[in-house]
Structures are given as C-alpha cells and as structure tokens.
Amino acid sequence: MKSRHLFALTALGFAFSTAVAAAPHTLINCIGNSPGQFSPAITNDANDFNASSQQVYNSLLAFKSGSTEIEPALAERWEISDDGLSYTFHLRRGVKFHNNQTFSPTRDFNADDVLFSFNRQADKNHPFHTVSNGTYFYFNWMALPKILKSVEKIDDYTVKIHLNKAYSPFLKIVAMDFLSIYSQEYADKMLAAGKPETIDKIPIGTGPFVFQTYQLDQAIRYTANADYWKGRADLDRLIFSITPDATARYAKLQTGACDVIDFPNIADIEEMKNNPKVRLYAKEGLNLAYIGINLRKAPLENVKVRQALNYATDKQSIINVVYQGGSGVAATNPFPPGVLGYNDNIQDYPFDLEKAKQLLVEAGYGGGFETEIWVQPVVRPSNPNPRRTAEILQADWAKIGIKAKLVTHEWADFNKRTREGEFYTGTYGWTSRNGDPDNFLAPLLGCENVGGTNYAGWCNSEFEALLQQAAATADENQRTALYQQALVIAKEQAPLIPLAHSVNYVPTGTRVQNFQQSPFGYTAFYGVSVAD
C-alpha cells in the first residue's frame, strides 16, 4: 500500500540532480515509482523494501543471495528447543549503526535493538506502536500476533523468542524484511525530541548503504557504509532515479544514464535479449497472478458459479497476450512448481464454455448475471498488464452471459476497498517474501487473514486444519503431503482463479558486475560493482 505523506527529505543538506552521469563506483538504479515508506516494518510494498530494508537494514537472519535458503546475519547462530516453542539467537558483536547529522550512535547493535524492533509491532502499549499510523501489514499477515508469545533478552548478545505454538517456517519469517532491526537508541532520541516518526522517514540501520537524501518523485541517494560488518560495499554511491515511464527507463539504460531498471515493457524483452548494451537477467518468480473472487457478493458465494468462472477463463490467451508467451506460465496451484507441497496431480479447469454454461444453469443463473472486474491500476511483478488481463476476462465471461464492468481506483484506495470487501472479482497478485508454501496459502486463503489478504473471505475448516498441521510439522515429507491435500480442497472450492506465474526480468547495463537476481523480486546492491 502506498502512502503519499512523505515529504522531500534533505536532512543531510545535500542538493543533487538525478541526471548524474554514470561514473565509476556509482550505480544508478532507475525505478518506476516513488517509495511510499522508508520503514520496512510498516510497509507491504516491494518498491519500499528495495529502498529501505534491502539497502539500509539487516535482519537477524538473511536469505542467501539469489536463493530462498537462510543464513546468519545479525544473529551468528541459533538453537531451537525440542518442542519447537523457543528460538535462541546469538547476536553478532561489533555491528555499527549508521549515523547522520541528526544521530550518532554511542553503542553497537545489541539485544535491546532486537526487542525494540519486535515489540514495536507486537505490543500495542509500546511507545512506538502507533507512530506513523502503526500499520504492521506483514506482522499481521504472517499471523505473528497469535504465533509470537514473547521476546526475551538473556543478555546483551542473546535473545530468546518464545512461540505460542510450533511453527516450522518461523526462521524464514525472521529473515523477512518487515523484521529488520532498528536502533532503539535512535528511536529514544527522536521520541525525546518529539519527532518519533523520524525513524520511519530518515532510516538508520546496520546495512551496507547509508541513506542520504530523498527528493520526492525524483531520486534517493545512498553512500557506502564504511563500517559494514560484512565489509564495505564495492559501490561508493547508489542512486535510485525515479522514472515512471518504462520506455524512458529503457532509453536511459541504453545511453548509460541508468545502470539497472525495473519493470521493463514485456514487448521490449526480445529486443533486450539481443541488445549488446544490455544484460537481461531472468528468473521464475515466486509469485501468483490470480483473479480474486469475493464470496460475500452474490452470486459468487455459490461454488458452481465460481467453478463456471474458472471454466470460462482462457488462461492460455492471457499468457499469449499479456505475458507474450515466454514471460509467464499458466498457474494450476496457488503457488509455482518448485515450492514445497506443489501438487502435480491436480488437473486444472480447462477452457470449456459449455461446461461453464451448464454449471450456471445448475446454480440457477442460466441467464447469466452482472458483476464487476476490478483492475489493478499499476503493473506488478506477477502481472505485466492487469488492464489487458481484465479485458480478456470480460470478453470470455460475456460468452456465458456474465456482463462484467471494469472498475479501477487509485492504488492505495484500490487496496483499501478490496480489503474492506467492496470488490466482486478482480486482478490481483501475490509474491512470496520467504519461499515457503505457508507464505502463499495462509495469506491468500487462511481463515486468519479474512479481512486482510484473504480477499475471498473464504474460510474452510478442513483446509484450515491442514494448513495449521503443516505449519506445525518440521518433517518436509509430512508437510508436503498435508499441503497437497489442502490444494485439492482449494481447487474444488475455487475461492480464486490462479492465472499465471510470471518470469521476473531485470535489465542492467554491461558495466554492472556480479548482480544477483532475487527470487523475491528485490534488487539488493551489496556485492554489485561497476566496471570503469
């Protein structure tokens, strides 16, 4: 969700232009949208994570570069109790927080910073819980209010986290961006100054790059953290140049005004593959483009109507037109192959208009009905053209008597109205931020997320029991079997229509070296260098 309350930050007194020519040790990343937040705890947007946690912060654990495997970060090692209810993290010593003209740390990172970062989100009485509107999307979406019992400081460099129930994906959750570690000392100083929201606007972390300035809708500037615990970055300077038009981003990449660009036009991909000025990175995304169906709107509560919509959706046409063949594959399960628990035995609904009409007759809607298709107003990693997707759906559904009006809203309003259950059907997407099946199924279809990311409002007791059992099971074979059973139920009940899993593309200039593409769609620049 985007917030436009951020003001232009010139806190460190820098004046700069986004038209900086590419120079040795400076990398310019051209992005399509301004960040809504610089605070990973209170956002849910990949663009915001790229601008904050991926550059400025660290978490206790991290995902290995280009992988979904976890590795130590601010925690050097950890132990799990036999009952799976306690996790003891041994913290890295000698880690320095950033400083700026507003704040200079007097101590290194320690357990107090971990407690602050977790308890700000968990404890409604924490002095920072309501700061910056206090909306902790991922903390709630990951069901941590029910899973997390307490965070205990054993000593300055040992933290013990207690859970209310065993939860096998917990370590992957700890590595996610929303649990980035903030400086309690910085927070305390800003609170005493009467400006607590500063910690969310001018980020201070322990990461490889130090935030310098943000000029609204123009650029964000960072410099290398000379004291970074993993070693200083190869880049001296990092600039995020905000360039909304994809065609303009590509043109700037070719002239060298951009070193990396996001969200290329799918129509340009084939040309990029053969352009000697471009290196094109491609990775199958951990994502799902889907059609959300609101079971609280008649006649969508009827399972036969939902099944009819599945039969009347020509996924291959959408793949051919929207993803232009090679940039996506049709989705059968709510998560892509390769994720634990994927069920190869599930047969997808074929495109069968006669079967769809028959089901509508059985449901009592042989004459069809009127509904709406809500259209995402922005391009997302999972869907390069939501508008065209909706237009194809509209034409397909009209063939079985369903007259669907296309509706759109400004992005923040679109998300808010969707969560409030105002939509009927719509184009939506999800990208996993940790690669675990629970990070798809619980947010999209779990009972605990009805009113949140479970837009369907679908709560099936048998499905939910399988999800809960799988999440509490450490054995991967047992987890696989449980998820596969759950997916059979979801397919038959059809609370959403899985459309596609997209390929994520990152075009870079040829002077960019050692770039590692993230499976989560992020662009982290530690380890990247630029040739002279």
Side-chain angles (χ1 to χ4, degrees):
M1 180 174 67
K2 287 288 185 184
S3 171
R4 302 297 296 172
H5 71 273
L6 283 178
F7 49 82
L9 298 176
T10 54
L12 304 186
F14 287 98
F16 63 92
S17 167
T18 62
V20 178
H25 312 302
T26 295
L27 184 144
I28 301 176
N29 176 35
C30 288
I31 62 176
N33 299 293
S34 296
Q37 303 282 358
F38 284 100
S39 186
I42 60 174
T43 188
N44 68 342
D45 192 278
N47 193 49
D48 296 358
F49 290 138
N50 276 336
S52 60
S53 43
Q54 290 293 305
Q55 322 305 333
V56 176
Y57 289 96
N58 296 122
S59 299
L60 292 179
L61 305 179
F63 293 102
K64 292 180 181 179
S65 182
S67 170
T68 61
E69 293 182 52
I70 58 171
E71 65 179 2
L74 292 181
E76 291 184 306
R77 55 189 174 87
W78 59 90
E79 296 104 29
I80 307 172
S81 63
D82 291 341
D83 60 8
L85 295 178
S86 297
Y87 290 70
T88 302
F89 294 94
H90 301 276
L91 307 183
R92 193 175 300 275
R93 296 171 184 263
V95 176
K96 311 293 183 185
F97 278 102
H98 305 160
N99 64 80
N100 58 28
Q101 289 184 354
T102 302
F103 171 72
S104 294
T106 63
R107 62 165 176 81
D108 291 347
F109 153 76
N110 67 26
D112 292 334
D113 305 305
V114 178
L115 266 64
F116 171 85
S117 303
F118 277 74
N119 289 335
R120 176 192 179 177
Q121 301 183 60
D123 182 2
K124 293 181 179 179
N125 295 316
H126 191 277
F128 272 80
H129 187 74
T130 59
V131 169
S132 303
N133 296 322
T135 304
Y136 304 106
F137 297 99
Y138 270 100
F139 190 86
N140 291 301
W141 294 348
M142 299 298 100
L144 285 184
K146 291 187 177 181
I147 294 170
L148 183 64
K149 184 177 182 180
S150 62
V151 184
E152 177 187 4
K153 176 182 176 180
I154 305 300
D155 57 45
D156 280 350
Y157 291 96
T158 311
V159 170
K160 193 169 188 177
I161 298 179
H162 303 277
L163 306 184
N164 289 311
K165 58 182 180 180
Y167 186 66
S168 57
F170 183 67
L171 289 177
K172 287 196 169 186
I173 286 182
V174 171
M176 292 173 70
D177 293 59
F178 78 99
L179 288 179
S180 295
I181 302 303
Y182 294 67
S183 164
Q184 183 189 31
E185 187 182 16
Y186 179 42
D188 288 346
K189 181 174 181 180
M190 294 302 101
L191 183 64
K195 300 182 292 185
E197 67 284 348
T198 304
I199 73 165
D200 297 318
K201 295 178 178 179
I202 306 176
I204 291 282
T206 58
F209 295 98
V210 180
F211 173 85
Q212 298 293 324
T213 57
Y214 170 44
Q215 192 170 2
L216 184 65
D217 295 332
Q218 293 190 43
I220 315 160
R221 179 177 289 255
Y222 311 83
T223 57
N225 176 9
D227 297 319
Y228 188 43
W229 56 271
K230 290 181 73 173
R232 189 184 187 281
D234 292 323
L235 301 170
D236 294 322
R237 295 170 294 278
L238 176 63
I239 298 171
F240 280 27
S241 176
I242 299 157
T243 311
D245 183 72
T247 301
R249 291 197 296 275
Y250 184 29
K252 291 171 76 171
L253 180 68
Q254 294 181 87
T255 63
C258 298
D259 293 301
V260 180
I261 64 173
D262 69 2
F263 296 127
N265 281 324
I266 294 301
D268 292 332
I269 294 300
E270 285 305 313
E271 180 187 330
M272 288 180 178
K273 290 178 180 178
N274 300 305
N275 188 332
K277 297 180 179 179
V278 175
R279 285 197 184 104
L280 184 65
Y281 292 83
K283 186 184 284 285
E284 293 181 0
L286 287 169
N287 60 44
L288 173 71
Y290 68 96
I291 302 303
I293 303 174
N294 188 352
L295 274 65
R296 292 155 291 195
K297 298 284 191 180
L300 303 173
E301 79 286 357
N302 189 313
V303 66
K304 291 187 176 182
V305 170
R306 300 196 300 274
Q307 291 171 344
L309 293 179
N310 273 267
Y311 279 113
T313 298
D314 188 352
K315 292 184 185 180
Q316 196 54 53
S317 288
I318 293 171
I319 296 296
N320 293 341
V321 175
V322 174
Y323 297 85
Q324 304 209 0
S327 297
V329 295
T332 300
N333 290 201
F335 50 74
V339 173
L340 180 77
Y342 188 87
N343 194 334
D344 285 305
N345 294 320
I346 287 179
Q347 298 296 311
D348 202 6
Y349 292 92
F351 181 53
D352 188 337
L353 294 176
E354 293 307 313
K355 180 65 174 178
K357 291 175 183 177
Q358 176 191 332
L359 285 167
L360 287 183
V361 170
E362 293 175 10
Y365 292 93
F369 58 89
E370 295 184 0
T371 190
E372 295 176 350
I373 300 174
W374 283 33
V375 185
Q376 285 177 309
V378 296
V379 171
R380 310 302 294 157
S382 57
N383 190 332
N385 195 332
R387 168 65 60 172
R388 191 71 187 98
T389 300
E391 290 169 348
I392 295 171
L393 280 175
Q394 184 185 43
D396 286 342
W397 291 359
K399 296 171 186 175
I400 61 170
I402 297 176
K403 298 177 181 178
K405 177 183 176 183
L406 302 189
V407 175
T408 194
H409 299 280
E410 186 273 329
W411 184 223
D413 198 34
F414 180 91
N415 286 322
K416 179 176 182 292
R417 289 173 179 236
T418 292
R419 285 194 297 272
E420 291 172 352
E422 187 177 327
F423 81 109
Y424 286 77
T425 69
T427 60
Y428 296 97
W430 180 260
T431 297
S432 170
R433 302 303 179 195
N434 66 24
D436 192 89
D438 193 69
N439 193 221
F440 284 94
L441 298 182
L444 296 179
L445 298 171
C447 294
E448 291 177 345
N449 279 304
V450 171
T453 48
N454 180 344
Y455 300 153
W458 182 69
C459 180
N460 179 285
S461 59
E462 185 180 1
F463 178 88
E464 186 69 20
L466 290 166
L467 249 61
Q468 295 297 330
Q469 188 179 349
T473 302
D475 184 272
E476 287 197 352
N477 291 328
Q478 293 180 29
R479 289 190 79 202
T480 294
L482 291 166
Y483 286 126
Q484 288 178 341
Q485 292 177 55
L487 291 173
V488 171
I489 297 169
K491 198 66 180 179
E492 190 274 331
Q493 288 293 308
L496 54 77
I497 303 175
L499 278 185
H501 308 298
S502 75
V503 175
N504 291 337
Y505 292 103
V506 181
T508 79
T510 55
R511 78 187 201 112
V512 176
Q513 309 292 317
N514 305 315
F515 181 80
Q516 290 285 328
Q517 190 177 5
S518 166
F520 309 116
Y522 295 140
T523 47
F525 290 103
Y526 182 72
V528 176
S529 60
V530 286
D532 291 349

